[in-house]
Amino acid sequence: MKNVRQSEILKIVQSKDIDTQDQLLEELKARGFTTTQATISRDIKELRLVKELTGTGSYRYAQSDRKVSAASDTRLRNIFKEGVVSVDVAQNIVVVRTMPGLASAACSALDAMDIEGMVGSLAGDDTGILIMRDNSFAQQFGGEVHKLLK
């Protein structure tokens, strides 16, 4: 039922300007779905809906342009916690050392995340190299990965 409801939510926000959770709740009720505001709130979070400004100056729910899903976030965390040995930054390059055979999985997951400032990645067997747009992006990302490893 959850998947069907969430699919319907996506159809609603793509076809109508929905500004509030109450409006979304009413639209769902009109389409035969009985649910609560708390459930709608969780659905919005799981679907990664964001509020965007319309041409008329009001706001509406819309799908985020961010390409990563909750499953990708979880997968990346698992890859990093289980397989990444260390991360080091050298100017605009981030070097990710992994357990043997896992560098490709780590770089692939990072590529799918559309990380701001990341130009691309290159993976060997146990080392991944991330090329960042500049030194500050590399430092910022390196810091985020260190937090993830703790």
Side-chain angles (χ1 to χ4, degrees):
M1 189 68 179
K2 176 181 173 180
N3 289 338
V4 174
R5 183 185 63 247
Q6 287 185 349
S7 177
E8 195 64 29
I9 289 171
L10 290 175
K11 288 177 188 173
I12 291 169
V13 300
Q14 289 170 352
S15 65
K16 294 189 170 207
D17 287 348
I18 302 294
D19 185 29
T20 66
Q21 291 181 10
D22 286 335
Q23 289 174 339
L24 186 55
L25 193 59
E26 289 302 315
E27 283 294 323
L28 283 169
K29 281 183 186 176
R31 295 173 186 216
F33 290 87
T34 304
T35 189
T36 65
Q37 183 275 327
T39 300
I40 296 297
S41 181
R42 282 190 296 274
D43 287 340
I44 288 169
K45 183 177 181 180
E46 288 177 17
L47 293 169
R48 296 182 183 264
L49 297 181
V50 296
K51 282 202 173 180
E52 67 179 11
L53 189 61
T54 66
T56 62
S58 62
Y59 287 90
R60 66 181 217 106
Y61 281 107
Q63 283 185 279
S64 172
D65 289 337
R66 193 170 174 221
K67 293 180 183 175
V68 67
S69 68
S72 294
D73 282 346
T74 302
R75 189 177 70 228
L76 179 65
R77 282 189 184 90
N78 289 340
I79 289 169
F80 271 75
K81 286 183 179 181
E82 299 298 323
V84 173
V85 176
S86 67
V87 175
D88 199 3
V89 177
Q91 294 188 16
N92 70 318
I93 297 172
V94 179
V95 178
V96 179
R97 302 280 304 187
T98 69
M99 300 292 290
L102 293 181
S104 181
C107 286
S108 178
L110 290 165
D111 286 338
M113 291 186 71
D114 193 29
I115 296 168
E116 182 183 9
M118 190 169 103
V119 177
S121 69
L122 180 63
D125 182 56
D126 64 354
T127 305
I129 296 174
L130 310 177
I131 295 93
M132 306 303 282
R133 191 152 313 283
D134 60 31
N135 297 359
S136 65
F137 279 122
Q139 289 294 330
Q140 178 184 359
F141 182 74
E144 290 174 15
V145 171
H146 279 291
K147 289 179 194 171
L148 198 62
L149 292 175
K150 291 182 180 180

